[in-house]
Amino acid sequence: MYEIDFNRPQHVHFIGIGGISMSGLAEILMEEGFTVSGSDPQKSELTVHLEGKGARVFYRQQASNIGDSIDVVVYTAAVHPDNPEYARAVEKGLPVLSRAELLGQMMKNYKYAVGIAGTHGKTTTTSMVTEILLAAQRDPTISVGGILNSIGGNIRVGGPELFVTEACEYTNSFLSFYPNMEVILNIEEDHLDFFKDLQDIRRSFRLFAQRIPDTGVLVINSDIDNYQEITEGLKCRVVTVGKSADSDYTAGHITYDRYARDTFDLMIHGEKAEVITLGVPGEHNVYNALAAIALCRELGVDMKYIKKGLADFTGTNRRFEKKGELKGVTIIDDYAHHPREISATLATAKNYPHKKLWCVFQPHTYTRTKAFLDDFARSLAAADEVILAEIYGARETDTLGISSADIAVRIEALGTKARCFSTFDEIETFILEKCVQGDLLITMGAGDIVKVGENLLGQ
């Protein structure tokens, strides 16, 4: 594999530069003096931001974008060999790297390289860690999968000591990383368009854990079924967090304020150490916070900065994000697209002020929808009423004979009202007719369902 010399800036071209991770890597390279170009099908805030930094962005992917000045081409998992830019790069004999391979090479340049993994919670936990490290003035370099206001985007370029990034299991991307510290938040079935089954996913996480050097640290949630299968034989330090009293870090006496934000007793080795108050709602975030606390203590961060960072963190975009109010209806947006995430978000909403809880859900990918039909129905049935948009296909085109109506039928069978609409306009009209003052409306999904709330609010 081609190795980039980060002390000798080159011209790097990104196929799919508008992605949340790709744009971040591009910005890091520009900060290091590299020339950056790239392509993306459409203009976005991220591509405009990169253009403002000096990147050249093409809004059509075509072979002619691969000019003679380009030294290296980086591509996303969604790019196939028949992509015209990828094909031209290969034809010209240019070195090509996947997004994960580039990120992995970057990690080698830091004293502490942290990869935060798990089926859910990566963005929130990475953001919590970021806030703590900023409070402690540790000057971290950060790559996060969401927009975090405190760093003004999804990337922060800091000093040479500390690099923190999300580590995604999809297509085994994180197996290209070189972390010396890891967090594993949870391991569940997902991305079944790539993985065969849960055991295949667990095997991937085991390989990820094995990438830690003997002198490194693994923070892992002991609530993961048979987590010892992941840690067995590792020579690195293993720190556990979770609900079990046997965990190194656990939470006691969890309470909520009127906006569902948590306060809990931090228990370390069974002894009460601190009282922690979070700036974000939901019990699931208590366990994200435990992982962030354990990691930051391993990095030597003082508890006063940990408490401040967690209190200051009020969320990233699309994670139980309050978008506004319309005629007394509170509109919140959330990225949840897996049944477990949906359950966590709706459980959080139950503790948030409301008369009736409405959930507008957009399923994400046909394979995920087919794999979790019954699970989606059970999770969504926790709302008072459910509105379903059409499935967001993302990288997929085959419908597998699945539609949102299949979920709706199952939700109705569980006793919760569910309706399907084919357009956002129809959804917005229905909401305006049915939602009343005091109701709570959550738009939910990993696609573009956020537009529904934004359109209603005129954003």
Side-chain angles (χ1 to χ4, degrees):
M1 181 175 63
Y2 180 80
E3 290 275 347
I4 290 179
D5 184 347
F6 291 91
N7 295 312
R8 298 179 61 188
Q10 298 173 289
H11 181 173
V12 181
H13 182 86
F14 289 78
I15 308 175
I17 198 169
I20 193 76
S21 178
M22 289 280 274
S23 63
L25 298 180
E27 186 166 345
I28 291 175
L29 289 184
M30 283 192 286
E31 292 287 343
E32 297 296 327
F34 282 69
T35 299
V36 167
S37 62
S39 62
D40 212 72
Q42 58 189 13
K43 184 175 289 191
S44 67
E45 289 184 14
L46 292 173
T47 60
V48 170
H49 173 75
L50 290 173
E51 287 178 309
K53 291 277 187 178
R56 184 179 184 188
V57 180
F58 302 92
Y59 292 103
R60 183 181 175 190
Q61 293 185 346
Q62 52 192 1
S64 59
N65 295 342
I66 307 299
D68 292 338
S69 65
I70 293 171
D71 299 300
V72 186
V73 171
V74 179
Y75 63 96
T76 69
V79 170
H80 300 293
D82 60 354
N83 176 282
E85 293 182 20
Y86 185 96
R88 175 59 62 86
V90 171
E91 179 187 317
K92 290 170 70 74
L94 292 173
V96 292
L97 296 173
S98 70
R99 177 202 63 85
E101 288 168 341
L102 172 60
L103 200 158
Q105 289 187 23
M106 284 183 175
M107 296 178 86
K108 295 179 181 180
N109 295 323
Y110 294 84
K111 180 178 179 181
Y112 301 106
V114 181
I116 297 179
T119 315
H120 344 285
K122 294 185 290 293
T123 296
T124 295
T125 306
T126 303
S127 299
M128 287 177 168
V129 170
T130 298
E131 294 287 1
I132 292 168
L133 295 176
L134 292 177
Q137 298 184 337
R138 292 289 294 268
D139 194 25
T141 293
I142 302 292
S143 176
V144 62
I147 303 300
L148 183 59
N149 289 335
S150 60
I151 62 173
N154 64 312
I155 198 75
R156 181 185 190 272
V157 180
E161 182 179 77
L162 186 52
F163 182 85
V164 182
T165 183
E166 292 185 33
C168 182
E169 74 277 14
Y170 183 56
T171 68
N172 284 327
S173 290
F174 60 8
L175 300 186
S176 295
F177 292 4
Y178 294 90
N180 48 40
M181 302 182 80
E182 289 180 4
V183 174
I184 298 180
L185 298 164
N186 36 64
I187 304 174
E188 296 178 15
E189 282 186 308
D190 199 9
H191 300 305
L192 295 177
D193 57 326
F194 176 77
F195 294 109
K196 290 183 292 187
D197 50 28
L198 179 58
Q199 193 56 41
D200 192 23
I201 296 168
R202 289 176 63 89
R203 188 178 303 112
S204 185
F205 275 90
R206 166 67 176 172
L207 292 171
F208 178 59
Q210 289 177 326
R211 298 187 71 78
I212 308 172
D214 294 352
T215 55
V217 177
L218 170 63
V219 175
I220 188 167
N221 188 341
S222 59
D223 299 328
I224 296 169
D225 184 44
N226 190 18
Y227 80 91
Q228 295 91 344
E229 185 179 69
I230 307 300
T231 62
E232 183 181 6
L234 296 181
K235 294 182 179 180
C236 67
R237 176 170 165 76
V238 176
V239 180
T240 58
V241 303
K243 295 179 180 179
S244 169
D246 295 332
S247 299
D248 296 320
Y249 291 77
T250 190
H253 191 55
I254 302 171
T255 60
Y256 305 93
D257 70 8
R258 67 185 300 264
Y259 292 109
R261 292 172 297 206
D262 313 80
T263 295
F264 62 93
D265 293 340
L266 172 63
M267 311 296 291
I268 302 178
H269 303 302
E271 299 290 332
K272 180 178 175 180
E274 289 284 351
V275 176
I276 303 292
T277 297
L278 302 184
V280 288
E283 183 177 334
H284 60 292
N285 279 323
V286 170
Y287 298 97
N288 289 334
L290 287 178
I293 292 167
L295 173 69
C296 289
R297 279 174 55 85
E298 292 294 320
L299 286 166
V301 178
D302 190 278
M303 186 60 73
K304 67 180 180 182
Y305 299 120
I306 291 175
K307 292 179 68 174
K308 183 180 188 311
L310 291 173
D312 288 348
F313 173 60
T314 56
T316 56
N317 69 329
R318 305 222 60 209
R319 271 70 178 180
F320 211 84
E321 177 189 7
K322 183 176 179 179
K323 304 294 288 187
E325 295 185 13
L326 178 68
K327 297 179 180 179
V329 178
T330 300
I331 299 177
I332 285 173
D333 181 63
D334 196 274
Y335 191 71
H337 56 284
H338 182 281
R340 181 63 64 87
E341 296 167 347
I342 294 167
S343 294
T345 297
L346 294 181
T348 300
K350 293 289 187 181
N351 291 309
Y352 198 91
H354 68 278
K355 290 180 180 177
K356 179 182 280 190
L357 174 58
W358 296 80
C359 180
V360 183
F361 180 62
Q362 180 187 48
H364 189 262
T365 74
Y366 302 104
T367 51
R368 183 182 284 116
T369 304
K370 183 176 182 178
F372 298 121
L373 266 179
D374 292 328
D375 295 320
F376 276 130
R378 282 191 290 269
S379 298
L380 290 165
D384 294 318
E385 297 207 32
V386 179
I387 301 168
L388 290 152
E390 294 288 343
I391 296 171
Y392 188 87
R395 55 189 172 267
E396 299 177 353
T397 54
D398 186 351
T399 68
L400 305 177
I402 293 294
S403 75
S404 293
D406 295 300
I407 304 176
V409 169
R410 287 164 172 78
I411 294 172
E412 291 269 354
L414 295 171
T416 298
K417 290 184 178 179
R419 300 168 179 82
C420 294
F421 294 97
S422 58
T423 69
F424 286 179
D425 285 343
E426 291 174 297
I427 292 173
E428 291 158 22
T429 299
F430 182 80
I431 288 169
L432 290 171
E433 290 175 353
K434 299 296 183 180
C435 290
V436 300
Q437 184 173 352
D439 286 355
L440 176 61
L441 176 77
I442 300 181
T443 57
M444 186 184 290
D448 58 354
I449 195 66
V450 61
K451 293 177 181 177
V452 167
E454 291 177 344
N455 290 342
L456 289 168
L457 293 165
Q459 295 178 351

